[in-house]
């Protein structure tokens, strides 16, 4: 006995050891088997991380596990992912692993799939990405030969998986998430029985119409499998849509060109509570304690063939009569609920499917709401005919139904409206096919959101609908301290509400007080108004707006600016705002603006023309940062200004120009201007260097100048000023950082330049001397707050001295010439003198020349008189000047 036990123990130990080491021995064989199977059966790119083999976990079966399986398609879905599976395992007999190619197919008993993501797609040409099985060339006599596999499923499961299906031709979409599905059954050659359990979240839509939206679906089904005729009959079946139970019977049979379906279904219990169960639990909350009355019934029949040309006929009905519900924690009851809806198709042609909502009525307090709609041609150009008639108090929505709104709503909506349209008319703006008649009014509407600073209070709004046109009869609202009064027209309201079309219209907007801050969300940091860097985020003009706004506001407040009588036109389109002839009273004058603000790019830009008439200089250059950067010195001026500025650049997150980005030019004209030197450090610095100008009395009236600015620098074209009889020329540049580099040239009359110069002037008795001026240059550097002034008077005085000496020389020269003419008797009035006169004149000339030659020798009998000597000395001086000039 001991010997038998010993032999048995050794045998078992040997078997266990073999079972443990066998996977390592056959690992390469298993991997090759999987690769060969894939290559022989699949027309796609298949990758996997590893293949493992175990005999112990499923003994006497063997378990093959594939890790990180990924399947990607070839053309026409090249490189698109068909499936990703974290783990896939198969249980089969050990002998199946060692079958040769001529020994028949591989039989797999069970399959387990974990965390799979499958994407099935049929493109617009009818190609399916899941048709990846290679064709097998077999005759009926050889169906069991060659490579392949068959399933003998005892059980299977799919866990934590997702499934997506898209048919591009019909725009049909299925999206299944959190899928858990399992099944097991009894199988024979003819009739088998499969029991399954399924649970998933399902979204289903056809042509952008969503029929299920992440609804929780459960299904427990007992299915007869007639494998010989490919017919699957539902025997005992109960499903759940959210918490609405549905029982169904019927069959699905595979036919040559599709499927044949015959299924009927209904909810077994007619309690109205199950209507709430259809609504996703996120919105309906817990319905177990909800008080309900009335009934709710869903039933339907789906019968016919699913082929490339047809769908089954549909007759699905949803009804409820005189129902009500009340959540115990909420104060309001919803009552008089009537629902009569159907989904119908009588032909099998998918285009003939329609939804007929005959009635959807309810009442909250005394407010009744009634509606109906007929929606046809669901898969192509959808046709809609709808009626709304009733009153809805928005505040009661959250008091009667446990929905949590992201934004607070208040107000009463009254509507009596009929609309008839097709979706193609909306998409192509064919307004003649959009028939809207009726009106909608809103009173005491309050809307709050994190996207707006203050709640929007609409006291009254009336909208009238006519074919092709929606008219905003009136719109009175307030937000913060801003009031709005608007009228206008809207061309495509339905296109905006039902598709991605822009909101088009023309509006007239009036306001007594408009505060820009009421519409601007405060940022997380205190960014200065005059920004110097590009922000991370910027305000955007909404892309959905395509409208023209004619504005008239009595007072507009922006930051520290108050504009009055603001009028103009604003055209908004393509995330751009075009200002057209916008005028305003500002700084005691008039401002005119035209230009473009573009927020379509990542960084908003602007390009504007500004016209300023009779602006108060001191106030405007103190309160407007942009003007202060263009001409910092102007804040020391008192008076009026005319200016025209062309400017472009980028905008910061509060629509303030980023100064280092701007470029452009300006023309300015000063009117009735007075200087207040005490307001600027630059004038103090100039006064300390230049004592011949009193800047308090500097007159800048009618001054005109031109500026150009770019790259943070402002270049001033030279311009001229005048102080008494002193001419002044200014030129140079400064930066937006207040740095400067200017040259101011003072053309100063000589009389202002001190005693030495004036004594030199006094020696020359000539009126022209008083007109002499010299340029004195003052170089201004540093900054406007800390200026540095350098002047050069020495060179100016040297120039003046040279001028005075030259004048003296010219004076002596002219005097000498006159004396010579007198001595030579050259006189224009005596050109006809007789010879005797000439003879008489020659004698004194000779005497003068002799006197010059002899140096005035009195021993000569012809010695000239004293007066003649004096004349000779003068001429000698003059000739001496000439001699000096020759030496030079």
């Amino acid at each position: 006995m001991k010997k038998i036990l010993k032999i048995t123990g050794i045998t078992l130990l040997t078997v266990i050891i073999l079972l443990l080491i066998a996977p390592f021995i056959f690992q390469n064989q298993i991997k090759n088997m999987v690769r060969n199977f894939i290559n022989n059966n699949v027309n796609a790119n298949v990758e996997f991380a590893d293949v493992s083999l175990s005999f112990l976990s499923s003994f006497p079966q063997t378990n093959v596990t594939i890790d990180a399986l990924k399947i990607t398609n070839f053309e026409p879905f090249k490189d698109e992912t068909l499936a990703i599976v974290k783990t896939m395992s198969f249980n089969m007999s050990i002998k199946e692993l060692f079958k040769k190619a001529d020994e028949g197919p591989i039989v797999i008993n069970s399959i387990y799939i974990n965390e799979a993501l499958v994407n099935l797609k049929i493109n617009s040409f009818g190609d399916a990405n899941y048709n990846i099985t290679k064709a097998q060339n077999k005759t009926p006599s050889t169906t069991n030969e060659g490579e392949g596999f068959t399933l003998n499923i005892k059980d299977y499961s799919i866990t934590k998986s997702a499934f997506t299906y898209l048919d591009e031709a019909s725009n049909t979409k299925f999206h299944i998430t959190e899928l858990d599905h399992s099944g097991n059954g009894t199988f024979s050659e003819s009739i088998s029985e499969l029991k399954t359990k399924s649970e998933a979240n399902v979204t289903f839509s056809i042509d952008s119409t969503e029929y299920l939206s992440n609804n929780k679906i459960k299904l427990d089904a007992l299915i007869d499998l007639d494998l010989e005729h490919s017919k699957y009959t539902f025997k005992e079946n109960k499903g759940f849509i959210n918490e609405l139970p549905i029982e169904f019977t019927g069959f699905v049979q595979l036919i040559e060109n599709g499927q044949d379906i015959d299924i009927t279904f209904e909810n077994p219990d007619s309690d109205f509570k199950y209507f709430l169960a259809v609504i996703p639990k996120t919105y309906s909350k817990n319905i177990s304690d909800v008080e309900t009355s009335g009934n709710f019934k869903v039933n339907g029949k789906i019968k016919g063939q699913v082929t490339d040309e047809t769908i089954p006929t549909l007759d699905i009905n949803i009804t409820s009569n005189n129902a009500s519900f009340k959540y115990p924690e909420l104060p309001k009851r919803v009552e008089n609920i009537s629902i009569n809806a159907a989904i119908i198709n009588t032909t099998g042609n998918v285009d003939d499917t329609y939804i007929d909502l005959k009635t959807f009525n309810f009442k909250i307090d005394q407010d009744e709401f009634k509606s109906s709609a007929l929606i046809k041609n669901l898969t192509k150009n959808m046709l809609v005919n709808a009626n709304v008639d009733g009153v809805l108090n928005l505040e009661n929505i959250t008091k009667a139904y446990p929905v949590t709104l992201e934004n607070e709503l208040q107000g009463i909506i009254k509507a009596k409206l009929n609309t008839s349209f097709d979706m193609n008319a909306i998409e192509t703006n064919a307004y003649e096919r959009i028939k809207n008649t009726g009106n909608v009014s809103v009173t005491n509407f309050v809307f709050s959101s994190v996207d707006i600073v203050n709640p929007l209070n609409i006291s009254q709004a009336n909208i009238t609908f006519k074919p092709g046109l929606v008219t905003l009869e009136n719109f009175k609202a307030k937000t913060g301290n801003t009031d709005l009064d608007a009228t206008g027209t809207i061309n495509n309201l339905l296109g905006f509400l039902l598709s991605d079309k822009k909101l088009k219209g023309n509006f007239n907007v009036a306001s007594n007080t408009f505060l820009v801050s009421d519409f601007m969300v405060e940022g997380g940091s205190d960014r200065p108004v005059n920004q110097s860097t590009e922000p991370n985020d910027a305000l955007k003009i909404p892309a959905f707006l395509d409208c023209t706004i004619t504005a008239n506001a009595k007072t507009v407040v922006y930051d520290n600016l108050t504009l009055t009588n603001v009028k103009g036109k604003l055209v908004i389109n393509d995330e751009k705002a075009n200002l057209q002839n916008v005028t305003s009273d500002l700084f005691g004058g008039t401002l005119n603006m035209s230009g473009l603000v573009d927020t379509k790019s990542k960084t908003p830009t602007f390009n504007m023309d500004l016209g300023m008439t009779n602006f108060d200089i001191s106030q405007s250059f103190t309160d407007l940062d942009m003007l202060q950067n263009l001409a910092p010195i102007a804040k020391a001026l008192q008076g009026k200004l005319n200016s025209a500025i062309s400017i472009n650049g980028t905008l910061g997150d509060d629509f303030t120009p980023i100064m280092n980005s701007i470029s452009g030019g300006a023309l300015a004209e000063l009117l009735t201007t007075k200087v207040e030197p005490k307001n600027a450090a630059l004038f103090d610095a100039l006064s300390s260097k230049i004592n011949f100008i009193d800047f308090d009395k500097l007159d800048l009236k009618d001054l005109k100048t031109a500026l150009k600015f770019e790259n943070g620098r402002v270049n001033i074209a030279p311009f001229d000023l005048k102080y008494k009889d002193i001419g002044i020329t200014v030129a140079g540049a400064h930066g937006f950082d207040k740095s400067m580099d200017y040259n101011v040239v003072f053309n100063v009359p000589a009389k202002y330049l001190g005693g030495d110069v004036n004594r030199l002037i006094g020696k020359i008795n000539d009126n022209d001397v008083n007109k002499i001026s010299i340029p004195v240059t003052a170089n201004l550097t540093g900054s406007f707050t800390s200026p540095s002034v350098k002047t050069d008077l020495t060179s100016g005085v040297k120039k003046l001295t040279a001028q005075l000496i030259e004048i003296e020389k010219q004076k002596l020269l002219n005097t000498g010439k006159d004396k010579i003419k007198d001595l030579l008797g050259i006189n224009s009035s005596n050109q006809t003198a007789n010879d005797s006169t000439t003879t008489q004149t020659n004698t004194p000339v000779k005497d003068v020349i002799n006197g010059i030659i002899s140096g005035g020798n009195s021993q000569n009998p012809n010695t000239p008189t004293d007066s003649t000597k004096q004349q000779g000395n003068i001429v000698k001086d003059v000739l001496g000047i000439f001699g000096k000039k020759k030496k030079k």
Side-chain angles (χ1 to χ4, degrees), residues 546-835:
D546 183 2
C547 60
T548 298
I549 300 172
T550 302
N552 186 346
K554 290 183 179 179
T555 303
V556 175
V557 179
Y558 175 62
D559 198 27
N560 63 332
L561 299 179
T562 300
L563 296 84
T564 58
N565 298 323
V566 179
K567 299 177 182 179
K569 184 177 289 186
L570 182 65
V571 180
I572 298 175
N573 185 26
D574 197 26
E575 299 182 55
K576 301 173 184 176
N578 189 349
L579 283 74
Q580 299 180 357
N581 195 29
V582 177
T583 62
S584 170
D585 295 338
L586 180 65
F587 301 134
T590 302
L591 173 67
N592 186 291
M593 294 182 291
S594 296
L596 185 70
V597 176
D598 186 351
T599 67
K600 190 170 185 178
S601 58
K602 182 179 179 181
T603 302
T605 61
F606 72 99
N607 192 332
M608 301 290 289
D609 290 325
L610 307 176
M612 306 172 189
T613 305
N614 284 321
F615 262 35
D616 182 277
I617 297 174
S618 178
Q619 187 180 1
S620 60
F621 280 80
T622 299
D623 294 346
L624 276 180
D625 293 289
M626 185 182 71
L627 292 183
Q628 190 176 128
N629 279 279
L630 293 181
I633 195 65
K635 68 178 181 179
L637 306 180
Q638 300 291 330
K640 295 290 185 177
L641 164 76
N642 291 341
S643 182
I645 301 176
S646 293
I647 187 170
N648 62 79
T650 59
L651 294 170
D653 57 358
D654 62 351
F655 274 32
T656 300
I658 298 176
M659 293 307 301
N660 287 337
S661 75
I662 70 171
S663 61
L667 295 174
E669 179 184 16
L670 303 183
L671 311 172
T672 61
T673 307
K674 180 184 177 183
V675 179
E676 292 287 348
K678 60 184 179 181
N679 293 335
L682 178 60
F683 285 116
D684 290 339
L686 279 170
S687 297
S688 66
K689 297 289 185 178
I690 297 172
N691 57 11
F692 45 79
I693 291 182
D694 184 353
F695 289 102
D696 286 324
K697 297 178 181 179
L698 187 64
D699 186 6
L700 303 180
K701 183 179 180 181
D702 298 329
L703 169 65
K704 296 180 181 179
T705 187
L707 301 83
K708 288 187 178 180
F709 39 91
E710 62 181 344
N711 300 323
R713 299 288 295 175
V714 179
N715 293 289
I716 309 294
F719 62 91
D720 296 324
L721 307 173
K722 199 163 186 69
Y723 172 79
K724 295 181 179 180
D725 51 355
I726 300 175
I728 305 172
T729 300
V730 181
H734 67 268
F736 293 151
D737 59 358
K738 301 297 190 296
S739 64
M740 62 177 173
D741 185 6
Y742 280 98
N743 286 321
V744 181
V745 179
F746 300 89
N747 292 299
V748 186
K751 61 186 178 182
Y752 294 108
L753 298 178
D756 291 339
V757 174
N758 282 300
R759 280 191 294 273
L760 182 59
I761 293 172
K763 295 179 179 180
I764 302 174
N765 185 20
D766 194 314
N767 291 330
D768 291 337
V769 173
N770 295 324
K771 299 178 182 180
I772 294 175
S773 63
I774 65 168
V776 178
T777 300
N779 182 244
L780 315 180
T781 57
S783 68
F784 283 96
T785 55
S786 180
S788 173
V789 179
K790 294 180 180 180
T791 59
D792 186 7
L793 288 174
T794 303
S795 60
V797 172
K798 288 181 179 179
K799 291 179 182 178
L800 175 61
T801 303
Q803 284 181 295
L804 293 175
I805 291 173
E806 185 65 24
I807 290 172
E808 177 67 13
K809 287 181 181 180
Q810 293 299 326
K811 183 178 178 181
L812 291 173
L813 177 60
N814 291 334
T815 301
K817 286 180 179 179
D818 291 340
K819 293 295 185 180
I820 291 173
K821 287 179 181 179
D822 291 342
L823 291 174
L824 296 177
I826 300 173
N827 191 314
S828 60
S829 64
N830 197 24
Q831 291 180 355
T832 60
N834 53 32
D835 294 338

Side-chain angles (χ1 to χ4, degrees), residues 460 462 470-477 483-490 504-512 514 547-553 566-572:
Q460 184 67 47
N462 290 293
V470 179
T471 303
L472 182 64
E473 301 287 352
N474 65 68
F475 178 89
K476 298 183 183 297
D483 64 274
L484 298 170
D485 191 338
T487 59
T489 57
I490 305 171
K504 295 185 177 182
N506 296 284
F507 303 95
N508 297 308
V509 180
S511 177
N512 290 311
F514 190 98
C547 60
T548 298
I549 300 172
T550 302
N552 186 346
V566 179
K567 299 177 182 179
K569 184 177 289 186
L570 182 65
V571 180
I572 298 175

Side-chain angles (χ1 to χ4, degrees), residues 51-103:
V51 177
S52 58
L53 175 68
S54 172
F55 291 111
L56 290 178
S57 61
S58 56
F59 189 81
Q61 303 289 314
T62 183
N63 177 271
V64 178
T65 300
I66 301 174
D67 295 323
L69 175 68
K70 183 177 180 180
I71 304 174
T72 53
N73 287 106
F74 296 150
E75 296 289 358
F77 303 94
K78 184 173 175 58
D79 297 331
E80 292 185 13
T81 300
L82 173 62
I84 297 175
V85 182
K86 184 176 182 180
T87 56
M88 176 185 290
S89 62
F90 306 89
N91 284 345
M92 62 187 73
S93 173
I94 294 175
K95 67 179 182 178
E96 298 296 320
L97 297 175
F98 304 100
K99 274 188 176 181
K100 296 181 180 180
D102 58 354
E103 293 179 348

Side-chain angles (χ1 to χ4, degrees), residues 267 401 437 484 863 886:
N267 59 317
Y401 192 77
T437 57
L484 298 170
T863 300
K886 287 180 181 179

